[in-house]
Amino acid sequence: MHLERLELQGFKTFANHTVLTFPTPTAENRGLTSIVGPNGSGKSNLSDAIRWVLGEQSMKQLRSKKSEAVIFHGADKRGRSGFAEVAMTLNNADGAMPIEYKEVMITRRLYRDGKSEYLLNGSPVRLIDVQLLLARANFGEKHYSVIGQGMIDGILVLSADERREFFEEATGVRPLEIKRRQSVSKLLATQENKR
């Protein structure tokens, strides 16, 4: 599984529809891509976009104070966007994701009115569905392969619980943890209904 394409529109500084295409890894080319540019050119916004489309809920991790801050807020000659959208296309030819599609597109949208949605190959899904699918493929919003600005320093000062969560995801037990949380939540809801 590898990242094929990243599409952004209205996300942070990406007002226009922007498409980044990544080379397919080969034996000679491992598929390493670097994005370089001067300060303020939007490099960190790209890693934020990847974390966001993968389901990141912490505005602190996205270097924002509130969810609406990820929507392009306008510029001198350009009005603000009504929504932010990021679509990530993953090549699943190797079957790393437990899904029948050879190409998997995960899309996240957030509208100014606060409405948000997740899409999987164009069909509406819940955040938990996206998280579970990614966790089964050992890939997620907090996974060690997505390293954002300041994350190395952050890993060094994690609390014991945060460090445990980080290593759970890195070792592949995240899907089991998600299912456990779902089961506990259902049990608590059942207990409430009995009262």
Side-chain angles (χ1 to χ4, degrees), residues 61-115:
Q61 288 290 333
L62 297 171
R63 302 173 307 117
S64 298
K65 292 186 178 173
K66 54 185 180 179
S67 59
E68 188 180 292
V70 301
I71 303 174
F72 178 73
H73 58 79
D76 292 342
K77 296 182 180 180
R78 174 127 189 157
R80 67 184 193 160
S81 295
F83 68 96
E85 177 179 290
V86 176
M88 171 188 272
T89 304
L90 299 166
N91 182 309
N92 190 40
D94 62 359
M97 259 188 210
I99 194 168
E100 295 177 14
Y101 300 105
K102 299 285 183 210
E103 194 174 86
V104 178
M105 179 187 275
I106 300 166
T107 306
R108 182 176 181 180
R109 280 191 202 121
L110 175 67
Y111 297 93
R112 283 215 177 267
D113 65 4
K115 180 185 173 208

Side-chain angles (χ1 to χ4, degrees), residues 2 27 33 41-42 49 56-57 81 110 116 125 151 153 157-158 165 176 188 194:
H2 64 271
T33 301
S41 63
E56 179 63 66
Q57 300 297 302
S81 295
L110 175 67
S116 67
V125 292
M151 191 172 172
D153 290 338
V157 295
L158 289 175
E165 185 177 307
L176 302 172
L188 292 173
K194 286 184 178 180

Side-chain angles (χ1 to χ4, degrees), residues 19-175:
V19 179
L20 291 115
T21 305
F22 299 93
T24 302
T26 63
E28 299 83 33
N29 171 10
R30 296 264 183 171
L32 180 66
T33 301
S34 298
I35 299 172
V36 296
N39 289 343
S41 63
K43 299 179 304 291
S44 295
N45 289 345
L46 290 173
S47 63
D48 289 347
I50 292 171
R51 294 178 72 78
W52 188 71
V53 74
L54 294 176
E56 179 63 66
Q57 300 297 302
S58 167
M59 288 298 107
K60 183 179 176 184
Q61 288 290 333
L62 297 171
R63 302 173 307 117
S64 298
K65 292 186 178 173
K66 54 185 180 179
S67 59
E68 188 180 292
V70 301
I71 303 174
F72 178 73
H73 58 79
D76 292 342
K77 296 182 180 180
R78 174 127 189 157
R80 67 184 193 160
S81 295
F83 68 96
E85 177 179 290
V86 176
M88 171 188 272
T89 304
L90 299 166
N91 182 309
N92 190 40
D94 62 359
M97 259 188 210
I99 194 168
E100 295 177 14
Y101 300 105
K102 299 285 183 210
E103 194 174 86
V104 178
M105 179 187 275
I106 300 166
T107 306
R108 182 176 181 180
R109 280 191 202 121
L110 175 67
Y111 297 93
R112 283 215 177 267
D113 65 4
K115 180 185 173 208
S116 67
E117 58 188 356
Y118 290 88
L119 303 167
L120 186 62
N121 286 0
S123 299
V125 292
R126 303 170 301 168
L127 169 60
I128 193 71
D129 299 327
V130 172
Q131 289 175 326
L132 196 53
L133 178 66
L134 292 169
R136 287 183 179 145
N138 251 356
F139 193 86
E141 86 275 6
K142 292 181 184 153
H143 198 270
Y144 59 91
S145 62
V146 181
I147 300 173
Q149 182 176 338
M151 191 172 172
I152 300 298
D153 290 338
I155 291 169
L156 296 174
V157 295
L158 289 175
S159 69
D161 286 341
E162 292 168 328
R163 196 173 302 118
R164 180 183 50 79
E165 185 177 307
F166 177 82
F167 285 112
E168 281 176 354
E169 190 157 344
T171 58
V173 297
R174 185 86 170 129

Side-chain angles (χ1 to χ4, degrees), residues 181-193:
R181 266 191 277 142
Q182 283 179 321
S183 298
V184 168
S185 180
K186 287 178 183 178
L187 287 171
L188 292 173
T190 302
Q191 291 289 342
E192 278 298 311
N193 287 339

